[in-house]
Amino acid sequence: MEEQVSTQSLLSTAKYNMVIGLVLCWGFLVNWLMVTFMNPMAVLEVVNGWIVLILYSVSSSLGYYLFVTYNTPRMSFIGYNLVVLPLGFVLSLALYDVAPTLLFFALGIAFFLTLLMMLFGYLFPSFFQKIYSVLAVALLGVVIIELFQTFVLGVPQEWIEWVVIGVFCGYIGYDWGVANQVEKTLDNAIDSAAMLYMDIIILFIRIVKVIAQIAGKKSSS
């Protein structure tokens, strides 16, 4: 997230962090409601999977564009919600039929890693700025490899999940470092929360997949 200089009034550090927390909680609440009350398999039985993929790409891309480009809290929050909804559907797919014990274990790991990386991002922001280009290249490489494994080989490999977990741990540190360096405006608080939300949700989904794979291997042995 790039710093957005504006004429908005500045918030105190406490209010700025509170807004970030509230916006994050809103996204997590929406996702919890989607996971609890929506059956993703029923949706895929009615709507073609390619259409779902297109809607996911359009909504998330438009949402990202809105909260990154516009320097107004209202547009940023609209963009944030356009990202929350498609990622919530992906989350509901990832958690479908996952045992509650595995789910809470993954949640604990994701929570611990998030706090740890936010601490590192706060203490060492310059380090994460230096490795940002490495994270971006690694993420692009992972996406290409994963697409090749899924659509060409048909067998995604477990190691790719660990790489993605590492990359998004780095992104959490970077985005939290940036959040503490930009002007403490309402719009920047929403933008920072949006970036952190994406990092945390993707990290959580990947942790769930790794834990489910490990549990599946143990049960089959």
Side-chain angles (χ1 to χ4, degrees):
M1 184 190 70
E2 296 182 357
E3 181 176 359
Q4 298 179 356
V5 180
S6 70
T7 58
Q8 298 177 44
S9 59
L10 297 180
L11 303 176
S12 66
T13 300
K15 289 183 178 179
Y16 179 75
N17 290 331
M18 182 183 70
V19 172
I20 292 177
L22 289 175
V23 174
L24 280 173
C25 287
W26 167 254
F28 296 149
L29 174 62
V30 171
N31 289 165
W32 177 80
L33 291 173
M34 294 178 70
V35 170
T36 303
F37 297 105
M38 183 181 67
N39 185 338
M41 295 306 174
V43 174
L44 291 176
E45 289 178 0
V46 177
V47 184
N48 183 273
W50 286 106
I51 295 178
V52 173
L53 180 61
I54 292 172
L55 291 175
Y56 167 86
S57 301
V58 171
S59 180
S60 56
S61 299
L62 177 60
Y64 182 84
Y65 172 81
L66 289 178
F67 74 71
V68 167
T69 304
Y70 286 86
N71 196 23
T72 58
R74 179 179 298 178
M75 293 302 295
S76 291
F77 191 68
I78 291 173
Y80 174 62
N81 282 277
L82 289 176
V83 171
V84 166
L85 292 175
L87 273 180
F89 183 78
V90 173
L91 182 63
S92 65
L93 279 174
L95 302 185
Y96 188 74
D97 280 347
V98 175
T101 53
L102 296 182
L103 175 59
F104 284 112
F105 185 53
L107 187 62
I109 294 176
F111 181 75
F112 171 76
L113 287 177
T114 297
L115 290 183
L116 184 64
M117 298 313 299
M118 288 177 71
L119 175 62
F120 287 164
Y122 177 77
L123 295 176
F124 312 108
S126 59
F127 168 77
F128 287 97
Q129 289 177 355
K130 290 178 181 178
I131 67 170
Y132 177 76
S133 58
V134 176
L135 293 174
V137 171
L139 180 59
L140 177 61
V142 163
V143 170
I144 295 173
I145 293 172
E146 194 165 31
L147 289 174
F148 179 77
Q149 290 179 345
T150 301
F151 294 104
V152 178
L153 300 180
V155 183
Q157 297 179 356
E158 184 178 325
W159 66 267
I160 205 77
E161 307 293 348
W162 292 100
V163 175
V164 175
I165 289 172
V167 168
F168 277 94
C169 279
Y171 270 118
I172 291 174
Y174 171 81
D175 287 326
W176 183 242
V178 171
N180 283 279
Q181 292 179 329
V182 296
E183 286 187 317
K184 291 180 172 57
T185 63
L186 180 59
D187 181 69
N188 281 338
I190 296 172
D191 294 346
S192 297
M195 297 300 295
L196 287 167
Y197 163 82
M198 292 191 298
D199 300 337
I200 295 168
I201 289 295
I202 296 174
L203 174 66
F204 176 59
I205 290 173
R206 296 298 179 149
I207 291 173
V208 168
K209 291 180 69 174
V210 167
I211 292 177
Q213 289 172 353
I214 294 174
K217 289 180 180 179
K218 289 183 177 180
S219 60
S220 60
S221 60

